[in-house]
Amino acid sequence: MSFAVSFPVMLRTKDGVRIDAVHTPSRGPGDLCVVIAHGFTGSWRERTSRRIAHVFSAFGGVVAFDFRGHGRSGGLSTVGDEEVLDVAAAVRHARTLGYARVAVAGFSMGAAVALRHAALHGGVDAVASVSGPARWYYRGTAPMRRVHWAMEQRMGRAAARVFKGTRIRSTGWDPVPLAPFEAVPLISPIPLLVVHGDRDAFFPLDHAYQLYEAAQEPRELWIEDGYGHAESDATPELIRRIGRWVSASVAG
């Protein structure tokens, strides 16, 4: 697949962290922008993320970025806490580019951050949570036990830096940030979409149900048959459906 032309840019968050980002102009309507928030150890430069940006660009412009501690961005990852400032910088950039309507689509860790950003900062017209956790400290699956090892152990953080280029802060949360299921009631009246696969190896379906049940209207829940986890398993058709939902939600 050949991807649409995009324009890299370096953003700066309110706490002074440099964020590596990219703008892909719209191949469709000119007033909508989708901000993409990737998962833990991800990057907008990965082929899966670029493919998602390309599909979304049929519905509007796209701003994708690397969270702090990831890729070419500065700072250290706080795994979902201070990353709300990274989303805020990306949304602010989309507004600066002239987009009147801005939605955030987050995947896995990025989904948790997107929910917390919409609840705490607002300023968006729709938010989609894809493969996101409802609560912190979940260790009920083998992949999540590996994630916690990478976050909490010195050797795990070293491995994440060497093999994934992800730099993780060694100190834990203090205080513990608002959990996603605690954030979703605060999002209304911003339209919310919760998407989760029935073959997600990281977070079982009860996370999606917990988010949906805690949210206020307008809200939608999609349980996708055969879908695994986040960007790596998201098909172009699923991304197109999310793009159509975003377009309809911001128009409404």
Side-chain angles (χ1 to χ4, degrees), residues 177-245:
L178 193 70
F181 82 92
E182 297 170 320
V184 287
L186 307 177
I187 293 175
S188 179
I190 298 170
L192 168 65
L193 173 63
V194 177
V195 181
H196 215 93
D198 64 356
R199 295 188 179 180
D200 193 311
F202 288 76
F203 304 113
L205 287 176
D206 68 282
H207 284 262
Y209 290 122
Q210 186 176 13
L211 290 174
Y212 179 74
E213 290 166 4
Q216 304 296 315
E217 298 292 347
R219 58 182 181 165
E220 286 191 38
L221 172 64
W222 298 354
I223 302 299
E224 298 296 309
D225 293 340
Y227 175 39
H229 185 70
E231 299 101 318
S232 60
D233 292 331
T235 64
E237 177 53 32
L238 175 60
I239 301 303
R240 278 191 288 270
R241 287 173 52 210
I242 295 173
R244 289 193 289 268
W245 177 89

Side-chain angles (χ1 to χ4, degrees), residues 35-131:
V35 171
I36 301 176
H38 64 73
F40 183 56
T41 75
S43 170
W44 73 259
R45 296 176 182 274
E46 293 180 349
R47 186 170 181 83
T48 51
S49 295
R50 292 169 60 209
R51 172 174 50 80
I52 289 170
H54 177 79
V55 175
F56 272 144
S57 69
F59 302 91
V62 178
V63 171
F65 66 95
D66 282 358
F67 279 118
R68 60 185 62 203
H70 290 70
R72 300 183 186 181
S73 290
L76 298 174
S77 174
T78 66
V79 199
D81 182 9
E82 295 173 4
E83 282 78 5
V84 293
L85 300 177
D86 307 346
V87 172
V91 170
R92 186 166 60 250
H93 182 59
R95 298 292 188 190
T96 301
L97 290 170
Y99 291 104
R101 301 176 297 165
V102 179
V104 179
F107 295 81
S108 194
M109 182 192 78
V113 178
L115 296 176
R116 296 185 62 248
H117 171 267
L120 299 175
H121 292 253
V124 296
D125 299 286
V127 59
S129 166
V130 184
S131 304

